Amino acid sequence: MLPDVDGYELIKAIKDHNKSTPVIFMSARNEELDRVVGLELGSDDYLSKPFLPWELVIRTNKLMERIHGIEEDGSDDIIQVGDYTLSEKQRTVYLGEDEIQLTNKEYELFCYLVKNKNIVVSRDQILNNVWGEDYFGSDRVVDDTIRRLRKKVDKLNIETVYGYGYKLVCKS
């Protein structure tokens, strides 16, 4: 029911590009034949409209578990950097027992710097990896977010490499 494109043709194109791309087919068509065709074309699941948004979340999570497996130990995502503890699954940053409140971009920038600690990263690298390659705007958004991040994680040393970018300097 997509405008100017058939859902079946879309799933064929997706699977031709990469067979392992997970797909949940959502359609107003609820006939058995429609569901069977969608599944035959490579859909991992078929969801008929109307549906509850939470049902989509549950089905998506189950699909990701099937594809990537269930992680038994939740500590795999815990990263210790200086006095701070970062949990990627929970999207949280703690200083001791206190949670540091970060905006979405501050958090993503912090994660990027942590994963590249002691490496100089350019503004362009930060823009591409945090804001996305399709970001349209000033690269000064990086400077502003770094400034706010420095205030919130003030026990870490985020150095400015003038005219180029930034570097999170830490021993751990």
Side-chain angles (χ1 to χ4, degrees):
M1 304 293 189
L2 295 169
D4 302 325
V5 70
D6 180 289
Y8 297 136
E9 293 301 316
L10 182 60
I11 194 169
K12 285 179 191 174
I14 290 169
K15 292 300 181 170
D16 285 345
H17 179 70
N18 184 348
K19 285 192 181 296
S20 64
T21 301
V23 174
I24 297 177
F25 208 98
M26 295 181 288
S27 178
R29 295 175 157 180
N30 194 20
E31 299 297 319
E32 281 183 23
L33 181 60
D34 295 318
R35 291 192 309 267
V36 169
V37 170
L39 293 167
E40 281 287 322
L41 290 173
S43 177
D44 296 278
D45 201 349
Y46 193 101
L47 193 55
S48 298
K49 294 177 184 175
F51 57 86
L52 295 172
W54 192 243
E55 181 180 4
L56 176 60
V57 170
I58 292 168
R59 287 176 184 258
T60 302
N61 288 340
K62 293 294 182 185
L63 177 59
M64 292 296 105
E65 285 175 8
R66 279 198 313 268
I67 291 170
H68 300 293
I70 300 171
E71 293 181 22
E72 299 296 326
D73 182 7
S75 65
D76 291 348
D77 76 318
I78 303 295
I79 301 171
Q80 191 70 38
V81 56
D83 296 332
Y84 296 90
T85 305
L86 171 89
S87 171
E88 289 185 279
K89 286 182 189 171
Q90 298 300 317
R91 293 185 61 87
T92 56
V93 177
Y94 283 88
L95 175 59
E97 298 293 317
D98 299 324
E99 183 175 356
I100 308 299
Q101 296 297 317
L102 299 177
T103 66
N104 185 47
K105 288 302 178 196
E106 288 168 352
Y107 174 81
E108 290 177 9
L109 176 56
F110 185 61
C111 283
Y112 184 71
L113 291 172
V114 167
K115 290 177 181 177
N116 292 283
K117 64 183 175 187
N118 298 316
I119 299 172
V120 178
V121 289
S122 70
R123 276 189 189 88
D124 286 340
Q125 288 172 307
I126 293 170
L127 280 172
N128 287 337
N129 287 282
V130 176
W131 276 266
E133 292 182 14
D134 58 346
Y135 171 75
F136 183 76
S138 171
D139 65 352
R140 294 299 172 190
V141 70
V142 174
D143 303 330
D144 185 48
T145 308
I146 288 282
R147 181 185 50 77
R148 292 192 323 263
L149 192 56
R150 281 178 172 150
K151 287 181 182 177
K152 293 181 179 183
V153 292
D154 59 351
K155 298 203 181 314
L156 290 177
N157 183 15
I158 302 172
E159 290 184 353
T160 300
V161 179
Y162 290 98
Y164 186 76
Y166 298 94
K167 176 172 140 180
L168 174 62
V169 179
C170 57
K171 296 174 187 165
S172 62

